[in-house]
Amino acid sequence: MSRSRTAPQDAYTPRPEHHFTFGLWTVGNPGRDPFGEPVRPPLPPTRIVHKLAELGAYGVNLHDDLVPPDASPSERDRIVREFKAALTATGLRVPMATTNLFSDPAFRDGAFTSHDARVRAYALQKTMAAIDLGAELGATTYVCWGGREGVETNAAKDPRAALVWYRDAVNFLCEYVRAKRYDMRFALEAKPNEPRGDIFLPTTGHMLAFIYTLDHPDMVGLNPEVAHEQMAGLDFSHAVAQALEAGKLFHIDLNAQKAGRFDQDLRFGSDDLKGAFFLVKLLEDARWPGMRHFDSHAYRTEDEEGVWDFAYGSMRTYLILKERVERFNGDPEIQQLLADLGRRAGGTIGERLTFSAERARALQAETFDLPSMRRQGYAYERLDQLTVELLLGVR
Ligand code: GCO
Ligand code: MN
Ligand code: MN
């Protein structure tokens, strides 16, 4: 990789303190798709660690892409030893771990929600092994993405039974982590469809409601992904805001997506820049301390150099948007419009209405100036245009 091509040293240069992370499976994605074979050779995990560190990332997350499921115990030990040596040499961390519960043909009917109890048990065995490896490498977040937890036809299973099995599995895993005294929390990731026709708990909101039915809701939060919420036609920032507000944003999968498509996992900010801007604004305004993880991959057209362009570009775009957020927050005209909004609303903007008997009586007796409330404009057109101009770099 030629650093000069992708890595100018400027205000948008990624550094470990920015907490950017990538999965081994993201930069290591070989470009296989349902219509074509891999276009890139596999990248050894140790090489990925060195390259990510060179580019300024904070960490690397893993799937089954570190230790192949069929590795012998001595192979596993060698792979982990070499990986740890690369981490020590570079200072890169492993904040998150997960496992693949969707590729093996055994998982054709799901893992935690498979009709076959043997498959559900095997999924737990595989997950416990991944949790152990994650804990060994220092990971404190375990992501559960229910790849095939769904159906093609509702003739197949009672979705209520599936939810019971799903809950049993997450409860089982929470008890396992407690018994092992690991410092680890679970982050559940929703996706509406693909690879299956319909996936259970299809959005971040569905997942959030499910969490409160678990035995240890405090141990379980969310890992929302940009592309997945957009596939459901939803506003990603709103899903993230709800997770944040509930104290449940444990992790995040950043990428980009064109509306109405398959799960594209594009480079962060490469589509829907405005959506990306408001997402960064949300995370930065909230001073969210979590990892900025990119669950995405390079275009299938790329060779290895293109992969590093992709990785560097993801982090850089985040930092550029972060700088735009600072500009938005400091832009006198934008801030004036927001302040005027308060005046228009009679100085009551943001006021909370909470119940007391007195308050209820006062409200019942109040006469509202409905004509003025009906006439009121909000100047959002102007606000949005200023936002667009700021994003286009002319403010
Ligand atoms: C996808 C998912 C996955 C998961 C990853 C971690 O749509 O393929 O987003 O990339 O996030 O497997 O569990
Ligand atoms: Mn995805
Ligand atoms: Mn994801």
Side-chain angles (χ1 to χ4, degrees):
M1 185 199 65
S2 58
R3 261 206 92 165
S4 52
R5 171 169 148 191
T6 52
Q9 296 291 315
D10 59 15
Y12 314 113
T13 304
R15 290 189 303 272
E17 75 220 44
H18 297 127
H19 287 169
F20 292 125
T21 64
F22 291 84
L24 287 177
W25 68 94
T26 63
V27 281
N29 184 297
R32 183 188 291 108
D33 74 14
F35 302 94
E37 298 304 322
V39 293
R40 292 183 286 267
L43 278 176
T46 48
R47 180 172 172 81
I48 292 179
V49 167
H50 282 280
K51 285 290 179 183
L52 287 180
E54 205 177 303
L55 293 177
Y58 172 83
V60 61
N61 301 319
L62 42 120
H63 235 285
D64 298 358
D65 31 22
L66 180 61
V67 181
D70 53 3
S72 69
S74 64
E75 268 169 350
R76 177 202 188 271
D77 289 349
R78 181 188 52 79
I79 294 169
V80 173
R81 200 172 49 244
E82 287 172 9
F83 191 66
K84 279 182 174 166
L87 294 172
T88 309
T90 56
L92 222 65
R93 310 290 287 270
V94 177
M96 177 271 258
T98 182
T99 195
N100 180 325
L101 298 180
F102 42 90
S103 293
D104 189 319
F107 295 129
R108 68 176 72 188
D109 188 35
F112 297 155
T113 63
S114 168
H115 241 139
D116 186 338
R118 294 172 307 171
V119 175
R120 281 183 265 131
Y122 174 57
L124 287 176
Q125 183 197 64
K126 200 163 186 290
T127 306
M128 286 188 287
I131 288 174
D132 291 343
L133 177 59
E136 184 180 342
L137 293 168
T140 52
T141 304
Y142 186 87
V143 163
C144 289
W145 174 56
R148 292 188 191 273
E149 312 296 8
V151 290
E152 286 72 40
T153 167
N154 283 330
K157 67 184 79 159
D158 180 344
R160 290 171 304 173
L163 288 176
V164 169
W165 295 330
Y166 213 150
R167 182 180 303 115
D168 286 347
V170 181
N171 284 339
F172 186 108
L173 295 169
C174 285
E175 294 297 354
Y176 180 70
V177 164
R178 288 163 67 88
K180 286 280 191 170
R181 301 187 180 281
Y182 289 147
D183 173 21
M184 193 177 281
R185 303 191 298 179
F186 293 89
L188 307 183
E189 177 176 346
K191 185 173 179 179
N193 59 273
E194 196 194 298
R196 299 199 79 177
D198 287 286
I199 300 181
F200 300 129
L201 304 174
T203 70
T204 297
H206 287 81
M207 283 287 185
L208 184 58
F210 174 72
I211 287 171
Y212 296 114
T213 71
L214 298 170
D215 289 346
H216 298 289
D218 49 307
M219 292 177 68
V220 186
L222 298 159
N223 178 39
E225 173 172 317
V226 177
H228 297 178
E229 226 66 24
Q230 290 185 344
M231 285 167 75
L234 300 174
D235 184 292
F236 185 62
S237 290
H238 292 186
V240 174
Q242 193 178 359
L244 263 175
E245 212 263 337
K248 288 296 188 191
L249 189 67
F250 285 9
H251 200 259
I252 196 163
D253 276 2
L254 300 172
N255 57 20
Q257 173 76 15
K258 277 188 199 284
R261 307 273 169 100
F262 59 95
D263 185 24
Q264 293 177 298
D265 293 334
L266 298 169
R267 190 180 77 255
F268 180 64
S270 63
D271 210 273
D272 186 20
L273 261 181
K274 199 169 152 188
F277 168 75
F278 283 113
L279 173 64
V280 173
K281 183 168 189 313
L282 188 67
L283 297 176
E284 296 301 321
D285 285 351
R287 301 188 195 290
W288 182 63
M291 296 296 126
R292 273 67 174 163
H293 171 69
F294 297 103
D295 189 22
S296 44
H297 48 77
Y299 301 143
R300 191 167 183 268
T301 49
E302 302 309 287
D303 57 11
E304 186 181 336
E305 190 162 1
V307 169
W308 304 121
D309 288 343
F310 144 84
Y312 195 72
S314 305
M315 298 187 278
R316 204 170 150 75
T317 299
Y318 188 100
L319 293 174
I320 295 170
L321 289 171
K322 185 175 163 188
E323 187 268 344
R324 291 286 120 183
V325 168
E326 282 159 23
R327 267 180 195 259
F328 181 100
N329 291 341
D331 186 300
E333 213 175 327
I334 290 175
Q335 294 310 314
Q336 187 60 48
L337 277 174
L338 290 170
D340 286 352
L341 202 58
R343 274 195 284 283
R344 277 165 212 254
T348 59
I349 193 167
E351 185 185 318
R352 291 178 62 188
L353 298 172
T354 49
F355 180 84
S356 70
E358 198 187 331
R359 187 80 198 245
R361 269 196 306 279
L363 272 186
Q364 282 166 325
E366 190 158 335
T367 310
F368 287 94
D369 183 1
L370 279 173
S372 115
M373 288 156 71
R374 288 170 180 150
R375 268 194 317 270
Q376 179 171 276
Y378 287 80
Y380 291 164
E381 280 289 357
R382 203 163 151 59
L383 197 53
D384 186 73
Q385 178 64 24
L386 292 177
T387 306
V388 169
E389 292 190 11
L390 189 134
L391 282 177
L392 291 175
V394 299
R395 295 187 71 75

